[in-house]
Amino acid sequence: MSIEIEIRECVSLADLSACVDLQREVFALPEIEISPVRHFIVTKNAGGFTLGAYVAGELIGFVLSVPAFIRGEKAFYSHMTAVKQTFQSHGIGAKLKWSQRDFALKVGINYIKWTFQPVQARNAHFNLNRLGATIKHYEPNFYGTDYSTLHTDGGKLGLDSDRLFAEWNLENEKVAALSKNEKYIDTEAEKSRITIPANWNELVKSDLPKAIDEQNRVKSEFVTAFADGLICKAFERETSSYILY
């Protein structure tokens, strides 16, 4: 199915309110954790931007870029990317991210950073293989433990919000090639691998204690690898494995 998509900056109150509504729909978060319209407005007026993906005038996705100052340089922190469920798997997320790169480069920014769950294979593939991001840091329990995942013990078990930090160097050779839909082959020798569960969401639902054990294993392996100076630059979907160099 061919979809005509318009990517443009969200600037009006109506545009930004639609981002809040879409956020509710996509993430299904408690209301207290939903970013309000004021957050979007403040971000824009502080030097950030929100790009929206539109189909026939309807907002079906957005990416929020917060101004940042990282390692002494101006940057953007990509706080949120959302795509309406019925439009997922149509490349909307990729269009938003590449448009985010174009926008950042036009205003003189060549570095964007964001976080994602280490145990989500689809996100790992997208961030590393399709966008060309690199990973050097694992942050345990970044947002605090989520105890909303109930279990037979009355909800005493919870999942820590561990996150990997994706670093997007917008002008490096790999990212530039991928932005033009060109193949890029990394000739550097692989040093190590970290495998994650292939069915994470199902594992959380069926066996939460095992999921927590797996999360702790992945955390330990990443922390050790980064302490040894390794960098993650690729993900193998067939084995659900991060590739470290």
Side-chain angles (χ1 to χ4, degrees):
M1 179 176 64
S2 178
I3 302 174
E4 187 174 339
I5 303 162
E6 177 193 9
I7 305 290
R8 63 173 173 83
E9 186 178 3
C10 300
V11 293
S12 69
L13 283 174
D15 287 340
L16 300 176
S17 294
C19 290
V20 176
D21 292 338
L22 185 59
Q23 186 188 168
R24 286 194 184 96
E25 177 184 338
V26 172
F27 299 122
L29 293 169
E31 191 65 21
I32 194 171
E33 295 189 23
I34 295 293
S35 291
V37 172
R38 289 193 179 197
H39 180 205
F40 289 85
I41 294 172
V42 168
T43 296
K44 176 174 172 51
N45 282 275
F49 62 96
T50 302
L51 294 179
Y54 291 84
V55 172
E58 176 193 359
L59 181 76
I60 54 94
F62 73 87
V63 59
L64 172 63
S65 306
V66 179
F69 198 67
I70 299 172
R71 295 194 295 269
E73 300 289 339
K74 291 181 180 179
F76 285 116
Y77 187 94
S78 189
H79 176 52
M80 215 183 309
T81 303
V83 176
K84 194 178 183 71
Q85 184 70 35
T86 52
F87 286 93
Q88 290 180 9
S89 301
H90 289 287
I92 310 297
K95 288 181 183 294
L96 283 167
K97 293 300 288 185
W98 290 121
S99 296
Q100 181 188 42
R101 174 182 181 265
D102 291 341
F103 194 108
L105 289 173
K106 285 179 182 177
V107 297
I109 304 298
N110 59 16
Y111 178 87
I112 299 177
K113 184 177 184 177
W114 66 89
T115 66
F116 69 98
Q117 286 183 274
V119 288
Q120 294 289 356
R122 183 176 181 179
N123 290 348
H125 166 70
F126 179 72
N127 292 326
L128 293 165
N129 300 339
R130 296 195 63 190
L131 299 180
T134 58
I135 306 169
K136 305 175 185 176
H137 180 69
Y138 188 109
E139 186 64 35
N141 206 20
F142 187 54
Y143 295 109
T145 302
D146 176 16
Y147 288 99
S148 64
T149 307
L150 298 180
H151 198 251
T152 53
D153 62 357
K156 293 179 182 178
L157 291 178
L159 285 171
D160 285 354
S161 56
D162 291 5
R163 293 293 186 270
L164 285 170
F165 279 82
E167 300 186 32
W168 210 18
N169 295 287
L170 305 184
E171 294 182 297
N172 80 10
E173 186 179 357
K174 180 178 181 179
V175 175
L178 294 174
S179 73
K180 294 179 282 189
N181 203 29
E182 297 174 355
K183 288 186 177 181
Y184 181 87
I185 299 175
D186 197 323
T187 58
E188 190 175 355
E190 173 188 327
K191 295 293 184 182
S192 180
R193 291 186 173 213
I194 296 174
T195 301
I196 62 173
N199 57 343
W200 175 254
N201 292 336
E202 289 77 8
L203 180 61
V204 170
K205 294 176 182 178
S206 64
D207 194 341
L208 184 57
K210 183 178 179 180
I212 292 173
D213 287 342
E214 281 291 280
Q215 184 183 50
N216 287 333
R217 174 189 59 80
V218 170
K219 171 168 48 186
S220 176
E221 291 181 14
F222 264 116
V223 170
T224 298
F226 291 148
D228 290 340
L230 299 185
I231 296 173
C232 184
K233 298 191 291 182
F235 186 81
E236 187 177 83
R237 299 185 79 181
E238 293 77 13
T239 60
S240 294
S241 299
Y242 287 91
I243 315 299
L244 294 106
Y245 301 83

